[in-house]
Amino acid sequence: MGGSKSAPSERPDPVQEARDYYESILSSLMDGVVAVDGQCRITIFSTTAEQMSGLKRESVQGKSLFGSFPERSPIGRLAAKSLRTGRSYLESNPSLGPYLKERRDIGLATSPLLDSRGNIIGVVIVFRDLSRLKALEARLRKGERLASLGVLAAGMAHEIRNPLGGIRGASQLLREEFAPENPSVELTDIIIREVDRLNQIVQGLLDFSKPQEPRLAAVNIHEILSRVIALIKMENPGGALGIERLFDPSLPDISGDADQLTQVFLNILQNGIDAMAGSGTLTLTTRVLSGFQIRKQAREKVRMICVDVEDSGCGIAADEIGGIFDPFYTRKPNGVGLGLALCYRIVEDHGGKIDVDSRPGEGTRFSVSLPMAP
């Protein structure tokens, strides 16, 4: 009896395997990678380079670099320079074309590609998104500025508080000297009322300059938000205000100070109500920030959740957004401008961050990111 012969298995192509391996490496990089040969023809165009440039690999592969990117772009100029000199070059914010239809800060680097004998056979071009780095630098600068303002505020508060106490005490004694029908009684009442208002500002300065360290524990963010909503409804009775909850029920606990976070969201929600003049809809959304991690104490990676608070109010102009977390910056007629500055400080102390996105006439969205509990 003759046995049946099995078909010989196809051997994998080692060249194709190597090509697939290097392609998977390039596609996993956060930087865009483009390689050109000695005639500046594109030989490699990574997936991230496609996203950053808005160009498709099939449309540029094998074609000239100069015809693929905008005429005034420094990409071709730097690549040709690297080919000619054999040196590497750097440049910020080159013109790449559409980057996901958004304005981004881009870094460009070109380096000569050498063969085994050291001859230049092409150029490697790397695009890097600098937006997160610049945003981090801005946050650090803001933190340093707030810290220095806090020291100044503490000194001012202590110097102001003592004279205010004397003015209030003297006004009360003076008021007792007048008969109830005397017009001067109203004047002394005005002095006492304004002194109390100044004392409130001074207390705000002290809270901002020396915030209490958060007492971190595993807390449920939905319980905090529900408590805040109940307080907001008590302070704003009537049917003109609507609050919509889009809560993720599977959200894990966060690491936070419940009292301090209550203060944060009370302030943000009240700002939204003021922006809507007391009439409109507040939308609260909770979600997990997928893939977003921060380094705590430079070693530990922490997963984050996010709370979005969106109003349907008047919005904030683009040139004003950068200052809303600064002390004494306010658009309210009777506002002090310390509420959002204190919120920023509390969220930073929790190892989180707070962002704002707004368009005039369309409303504002505050996004508060907080670390999950271990």
Side-chain angles (χ1 to χ4, degrees), residues 219-222 224-225 248 250-255 261 265 285-290 292-294 302-308 347 351-354 367-373:
V219 294
N220 188 310
I221 191 64
H222 294 151
I224 294 175
L225 294 175
D248 180 355
S250 64
L251 217 62
D253 286 348
I254 62 166
S255 179
L261 292 177
F265 289 108
T285 307
T286 61
R287 53 195 171 93
V288 174
L289 289 180
S290 59
F292 182 83
Q293 298 177 335
I294 63 170
V302 183
R303 294 289 305 279
M304 307 286 282
I305 65 100
C306 184
V307 179
D308 296 319
V347 173
K353 68 170 187 170
I354 179 168
S367 298
V368 180
S369 303
L370 296 164
M372 295 181 187

Side-chain angles (χ1 to χ4, degrees), residues 37-38 82-83 85-86 111-123:
D37 60 17
S82 287
L83 271 177
T85 65
S111 298
L113 184 62
L114 308 178
D115 63 12
S116 58
R117 299 179 180 179
N119 298 318
I120 301 174
I121 58 174
V123 174

Side-chain angles (χ1 to χ4, degrees), residues 82 85-90 110-112:
S82 287
T85 65
R87 298 173 61 184
S88 300
Y89 297 95
L90 299 170
T110 61
S111 298

